[in-house]
Structures are given as structure tokens and as C-alpha cells.
């Protein structure tokens, strides 16, 4: 087999990298690793009306954050640069013109008004809303002459009869009736290619061996196949992965779901855990293991085994997996991650001390401050009203002042003794103490927390309330 070269081709038309694109990127990346091939990132920025400023940068940054390092991309360059479609316009025009010359494409001068009217009529007659081929009838010379003066697009000349077929590595043979395929616009009047022309020209010129992308592109593929055939180019292998679905089977959507990579980052998910979670969409390890690294995945991955039916994207499962990853990390690594996440206004040393108390209790980095924020700042609010417990708290203060060896054990023992002395059930006693020290009804182990806070700080918190 020739060198395996795969690519993702995100469009900078959203906030950031879409989680569905992260999934596609993962499949491509793993496939490249498995086959010792190359993973390429190409930016498809030809839809100028939907371009979002800064999106390209954010997409590339997010890929880096995930560790899905590319071999060739717009920043890094590579043997087939540029990797940004807006910088390759001449190429697309050249091939569009070539298709016109060979009769496989034609100039179309229809105005938006005419197209609207055409569609309206088709809808009334319940016909498919595809271009009716009016301009196909214009003789070639006339069309060429008009193209010098009038606004035009170049359309693909799809045959009216027959079928177009391709074999999908994940789905087997797929066949489309040509009469239902639109005479797709290839080159727009602004001189930019549409996705369909851009993708074929670049995949060919960049020597892409396998086109691995999401299911939503299947219906575009027959048009691409025709373009390959008309230009006399061999087809790449196509593989359309499954679309991610919510537990209720609906597609992930911007309106309903957090879809941008930045959301996952801000929520404090670890990139490795997200990729592991995505890997489980439509694929499983031969031995059924659910937690594995990218390297382990690459060793075992077979594209043919990806299941085409939409797997369930379940955030609860991601939370669970992320928690597992956090538990598996070394204390020092988790400390670094947390400090990176919460920022340097929190003492890294103090974060380090708290790790043993929180590691088993948090699922995401963003769970850290809600659970452990009291180590850094004394509570402003208390989850239960402590005003009736002032005398108890002053008793506690007195007892704790006498603890000379400020260690969890001795603290705990002195508090047990006091609870017994005062005949207060442990659960109630410690709840009041917990809220007084941390502000919350749920906290990491209390005696250990007080040890970390230190005697002075603990006492000062107690006296603040018992005053
Ligand atoms: N630009 C398309 C996207 O945003 C690329 C589709 C493909 O991989 O062919 O996903």
C-alpha cells in the first residue's frame, strides 16, 4: 500500500473545534499512527459568509490541547502547502475550467431570483429542489463569451441517468441515483470553490489515501466521486464514521449540547479522558477494556470495526471516565493540572497538600474549588445557620486551643472527647464543626482539613462565628 495520508478539514465557521470534529480527528489520528502514516490538518475556509474571526486559531490550539499533533498543517506547512484553502484559489479555478473544457461542468448565469423561483415551483410540484440545468443548454462558445461579461458560477454536469457508487470502508457499497444528484456549484461567483470542489482537488493534490469523516458527508460523496472520475483521478478510500447522538438518539446540536472543545476545557475535563471517551463511540478494544491510552488504541484499532450506527454521547460517562483518569494520576501531576486550571492566585503548595484529600472526590478539575476553595479563603456563607451554636463553637475553640500536636488524629480525638462530654451525637457535632470551618455540609475529611488549614486559621474561623 502507498503511504497512508489522512486529514481533517475543519471549517472555521464556529466558535472552536466541534466535539464531532474532535471525534473525526481522533479516528484519523489513530489510523495514521496505526499505519505509520501522516495526519494532516487543512483549513477549509472557503465559505466567506460564515467565517468566524479567530476560529482557525482556536481550532488549531484545541487540536494541540488534545495532543492530536499533525504532521502537516497551515502553521507548520509541509510538502503540499498551503494548507489553507483560501490560499489555493488558483488551483480550484484551474480544475473547474478543466471540467468545463471537457464538458463535465458548465457556466451558469442564473440569478438568485431565478433560482428562488425555480425552487418554489419545484416545491409546489413536490419535485426535488435541484438545479434544473437551464444553463447546460447554452452552447459552449456563447457561455464562454458571456462568462467574460456576466457573473457566473461553474456547475458540475451530473448525468441524468445511471448511478454513482463507491465503497465505504465502514458501510460497504453505497449507491446514488444520478437523477437525484444536484448539478452542484463547484466555483462560486466570488471565485471561491465550494466545499465539493475544494475537498476533491486538495485531497487529490495532497495525496490523501483515506478520507475518514462523519456520516453527514455521505450524500456529498457521489458528487466527489464524479469529480474524481471526470478529472481522471483515482478515488481515495472513503470511510464515514458514525454521528454522535444524545441518549435520546437526537443528534448533538449547538442548541442542545455543549459542542465546542473550549467548553470541555473550561469544565476541567482532561484531554486524554475526552479522547478515551470518544474512542468508545462506535468502537471497543478487543478485550473490552474501557480505559486505554492513544498508543494502546492505535495498536488495536481497525477502521473496519467502527460501528456505523450512532453511538450514545453520554456526559455522565465522560464524568466517570474523567474521574478515573484523575484518580490514576500521580499526586504531583494532578497538582500541576489543578494549578494550571485554577490559576496562580492559589498557592501551589497548598494545592499540593490538599490533593490526598480531594483526589478520590473530584471528577473534573472544575470540581476542585467548590470542594476545596475553603482552604484558600475562609467561608463567606454557611450552609446552615450557626447562630444557635455559638456556645458550642466557643467550647470547640477552647478545646482545640489546647491541642498541642496539631495533627488530624489528635484533633479528631479531642473533638470526639468533647462531643461525648457534651452528649452531642457525633453526626450533629461534626456537621456543625464542618460548616463552621468549611462553610459547607460536604467537605473533604474534616480532621485532615483542619490539620492542613493549621491551628491559627482554624481557631480564627471558629472565633469569627462564636463572637
Ligand atoms: N470542511 C468539512 C468539515 O467542516 C470537511 C468535511 C470533510 O472531511 O470532507 O467538516
Amino acid at each position: 500500500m502507498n503511504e497512508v495520508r489522512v486529514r481533517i478539514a475543519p471549517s472555521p465557521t464556529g466558535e472552536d473545534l466541534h466535539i464531532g470534529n474532535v471525534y473525526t480527528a481522533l479516528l484519523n489520528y489513530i489510523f495514521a499512527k496505526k499505519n505509520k502514516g501522516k495526519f494532516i490538518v487543512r483549513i477549509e475556509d472557503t465559505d466567506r459568509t460564515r467565517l468566524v474571526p479567530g476560529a482557525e486559531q482556536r481550532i488549531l490550539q484545541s487540536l494541540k490541547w488534545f495532543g492530536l499533533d499533525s504532521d502537516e498543517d497551515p502553521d507548520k506547512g509541509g510538502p503540499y502547502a498551503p494548507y489553507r484553502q483560501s490560499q489555493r484559489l488558483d488551483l480550484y479555478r484551474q480544475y473547474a475550467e478543466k471540467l468545463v473544457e471537457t464538458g463535465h461542468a458548465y457556466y451558469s448565469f442564473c440569478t438568485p431570483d431565478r433560482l428562488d423561483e425555480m425552487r418554489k415551483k419545484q416545491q409546489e410540484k413536490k419535485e426535488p429542489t435541484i438545479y434544473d440545468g437551464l444553463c447546460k443548454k447554452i452552447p459552449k462558445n456563447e457561455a464562454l463569451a458571456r462568462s467574460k461579461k456576466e457573473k457566473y458560477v461553474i456547475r458540475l454536469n451530473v448525468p441524468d441517468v445511471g448511478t454513482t457508487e463507491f465503497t465505504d470502508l465502514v458501510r460497504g457499497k453505497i449507491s446514488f441515483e444520478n437523477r437525484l444528484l444536484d448539478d452542484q456549484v463547484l466555483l462560486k461567483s466570488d471565485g471561491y470553490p465550494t466545499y465539493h470542489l475544494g475537498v476533491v482537488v486538495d485531497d487529490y493534490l495532497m495525496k490523501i489515501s483515506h478520507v475518514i469523516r462523519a456520516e453527514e458527508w455521505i450524500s456529498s460523496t457521489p458528487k466527489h466521486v464524479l469529480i474524481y472520475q471526470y478529472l481522471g483521478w483515482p478515488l481515495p478510500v472513503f470511510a464515514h464514521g458514525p454521528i454522535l447522538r444524545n441518549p435520546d438518539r437526537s443528534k448533538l446540536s449547538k442548541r442542545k449540547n455543549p459542542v465546542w472543545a473550549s467548553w470541555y476545557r473550561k469544565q476541567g475535563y482532561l484531554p486524554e479522558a475526552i479522547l478515551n471517551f470518544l474512542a468508545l463511540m462506535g468502537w471497543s478494544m478487543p478485550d473490552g477494556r474501557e480505559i486505554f491510552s492513544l498508543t494502546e488504541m492505535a495498536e488495536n484499532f481497525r477502521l473496519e470495526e467502527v460501528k456505523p450506527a450512532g453511538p450514545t454521547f453520554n456526559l455522565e460517562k465522560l464524568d466517570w471516565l474523567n474521574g478515573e483518569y484523575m484518580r490514576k494520576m500521580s499526586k504531583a501531576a494532578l497538582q500541576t493540572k489543578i494549578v494550571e486550571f485554577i490559576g496562580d492566585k492559589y498557592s501551589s503548595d497548598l494545592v499540593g497538600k490538599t490533593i490526598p484529600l480531594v483526589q478520590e472526590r473530584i471528577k473534573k478539575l472544575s470540581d476542585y474549588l467548590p470542594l476545596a476553595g475553603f482552604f484558600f479563603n475562609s467561608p463567606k456563607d454557611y450552609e446552615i445557620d450557626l447562630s444557635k451554636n455559638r456556645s458550642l463553637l466557643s467550647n470547640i475553640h477552647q478545646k482545640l486551643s489546647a491541642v498541642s500536636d496539631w495533627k488530624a488524629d489528635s484533633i479528631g480525638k479531642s473533638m470526639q472527647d468533647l462531643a461525648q462530654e457534651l452528649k452531642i451525637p457525633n453526626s450533629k457535632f461534626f456537621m456543625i464543626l464542618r460548616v463552621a470551618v468549611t462553610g459547607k455540609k460536604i467537605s473533604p475529611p474534616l480532621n485532615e482539613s483542619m490539620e492542613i488549614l493549621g491551628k491559627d486559621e482554624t481557631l480564627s474561623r471558629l472565633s469569627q462565628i462564636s463572637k
Side-chain angles (χ1 to χ4, degrees):
M1 188 157 74
N2 289 337
E3 190 191 20
V4 164
R5 290 176 55 82
V6 292
R7 86 310 188 267
I8 54 161
S11 297
T13 51
E15 221 170 282
D16 187 354
L17 195 62
H18 190 286
I19 192 75
N21 286 144
V22 181
Y23 177 57
T24 304
L26 172 69
L27 294 181
N28 277 280
Y29 178 86
I30 289 293
F31 188 73
K33 286 286 160 276
K34 156 113 197 190
N35 294 291
K36 306 198 171 19
K38 295 275 189 302
F39 171 59
I40 292 136
V41 177
R42 179 175 72 228
I43 294 289
E44 296 199 339
D45 57 350
T46 53
D47 189 345
R48 308 309 282 177
T49 56
R50 292 177 57 218
L51 220 55
V52 173
E56 175 186 319
Q57 240 177 339
R58 289 192 288 272
I59 287 172
L60 295 173
Q61 268 163 9
S62 288
L63 283 168
K64 283 209 185 94
W65 182 71
F66 278 109
L68 297 172
D69 297 328
S70 48
D71 298 292
E72 300 162 28
D73 67 32
D75 290 342
K76 211 176 258 166
Y80 305 101
Y83 292 87
R84 196 178 281 114
Q85 289 192 323
S86 58
Q87 295 168 338
R88 302 169 60 85
L89 298 186
D90 289 349
L91 285 168
Y92 309 123
R93 172 169 296 280
Q94 183 187 320
Y95 289 106
E97 304 276 358
K98 195 160 170 190
L99 288 167
V100 173
E101 265 165 46
T102 52
H104 293 302
Y106 57 90
Y107 295 105
S108 174
F109 305 93
C110 289
T111 61
D113 284 349
R114 162 154 209 272
L115 294 175
D116 280 348
E117 206 158 300
M118 173 196 82
R119 279 186 211 113
K120 230 184 273 158
K121 280 192 194 138
Q122 288 169 330
Q123 273 156 2
E124 277 162 19
K125 287 197 251 164
K126 301 214 169 3
E127 287 172 2
T129 45
I130 59 179
Y131 183 62
D132 59 6
L134 182 72
C135 293
K136 197 158 35 174
K137 298 179 195 121
I138 306 173
K140 238 178 168 178
N141 286 347
E142 189 184 321
L144 193 62
R146 278 178 68 179
S147 75
K148 306 269 186 279
K149 293 175 290 197
E150 287 176 50
K151 236 179 160 172
Y152 66 89
V153 299
I154 293 181
R155 284 183 182 272
L156 183 64
N157 187 355
V158 177
D160 297 328
V161 293
T163 54
T164 298
E165 290 177 351
F166 62 93
T167 304
D168 188 292
L169 205 53
V170 174
R171 292 156 200 274
K173 196 179 241 176
I174 303 184
S175 170
F176 287 84
E177 278 190 62
N178 290 339
R179 69 182 175 89
L180 298 176
L181 297 180
D182 200 1
D183 276 4
Q184 184 63 55
V185 173
L186 299 178
L187 198 73
K188 294 178 277 188
S189 56
D190 62 2
Y192 279 82
T194 56
Y195 157 67
H196 306 279
L197 178 64
V199 78
V200 172
V201 168
D202 287 344
D203 284 345
Y204 172 72
L205 294 179
M206 294 179 178
K207 297 203 165 42
I208 299 303
S209 60
H210 295 72
V211 170
I212 306 168
R213 61 186 167 202
E215 183 180 339
E216 62 191 292
W217 303 103
I218 292 179
S219 59
S220 299
T221 309
K223 299 173 192 169
H224 304 173
V225 168
L226 288 173
I227 303 174
Y228 278 101
Q229 285 171 355
Y230 294 156
L231 288 168
W233 294 341
L235 293 182
V237 176
F238 290 106
H240 291 89
I243 257 178
L244 310 181
R245 291 182 187 274
N246 287 305
D248 68 3
R249 311 309 296 147
S250 62
K251 284 191 208 165
L252 292 197
S253 77
K254 268 185 275 189
R255 251 165 280 130
K256 277 206 298 197
N257 299 92
V259 295
W260 305 116
S262 48
W263 183 85
Y264 292 84
R265 195 170 54 233
K266 283 184 207 137
Q267 284 298 303
Y269 290 108
L270 302 171
E272 306 87 321
I274 302 174
L275 293 179
N276 190 155
F277 168 69
L278 290 173
L280 296 169
M281 304 277 129
W283 184 77
S284 47
M285 273 289 207
D287 62 4
R289 217 174 342 152
E290 290 209 290
I291 300 182
F292 45 81
S293 68
L294 286 188
T295 316
E296 291 167 322
M297 181 180 181
E299 280 161 11
N300 290 282
F301 183 71
R302 290 186 66 229
L303 197 49
E304 299 88 317
E305 285 170 2
V306 172
K307 289 188 202 63
T312 307
F313 186 91
N314 187 342
L315 278 183
E316 278 169 28
K317 174 120 189 200
L318 174 58
D319 282 354
W320 167 77
L321 249 178
N322 205 69
E324 293 293 307
Y325 268 78
M326 306 236 295
R327 271 188 278 293
K328 257 190 1 201
M329 285 170 95
S330 73
K331 302 229 167 343
L334 185 56
Q335 176 185 359
T336 309
K337 284 276 177 197
I338 290 178
V339 170
E340 259 170 36
F341 186 80
I342 62 180
D344 52 14
K345 65 174 196 257
Y346 297 92
S347 142
S348 169
D349 274 357
L350 185 48
V351 171
K353 287 187 193 149
T354 65
I355 298 287
L357 303 194
V358 301
Q359 187 159 20
E360 296 287 324
R361 291 180 170 76
I362 56 178
K363 290 190 171 146
K364 312 189 281 286
L365 297 171
S366 60
D367 295 339
Y368 179 76
L369 278 183
L371 187 68
F374 73 90
F375 284 110
F376 305 89
N377 296 302
S378 62
K380 289 197 187 63
D381 310 303
Y382 298 90
E383 283 183 358
I384 55 178
D385 178 9
L386 294 172
S387 57
K388 286 191 230 82
N389 305 104
R390 290 216 172 93
S391 76
L392 170 61
L393 291 167
S394 107
N395 271 327
I396 293 179
H397 187 281
Q398 213 172 6
K399 187 88 177 171
L400 285 177
S401 311
V403 175
S404 51
D405 177 27
W406 193 256
K407 288 278 180 303
D409 280 354
S410 354
I411 299 169
K413 179 149 187 328
S414 86
M415 290 297 91
Q416 299 255 4
D417 291 350
L418 182 62
Q420 221 165 25
E421 234 173 79
L422 300 174
K423 300 196 172 42
I424 303 176
N426 266 353
S427 57
K428 186 176 171 204
F429 180 94
F430 281 100
M431 175 59 79
I432 291 166
L433 177 55
R434 184 183 305 279
V435 174
V437 174
T438 70
K440 307 218 175 193
K441 289 195 274 191
I442 295 176
S443 79
L446 186 57
N447 300 330
E448 283 77 359
S449 297
M450 290 196 281
E451 179 185 326
I452 292 173
L453 275 175
K455 187 169 178 179
D456 290 351
E457 177 61 22
T458 307
L459 291 178
S460 121
R461 288 186 186 190
L462 291 170
S463 54
Q464 231 171 47
I465 310 164
S466 53
K467 252 191 270 170

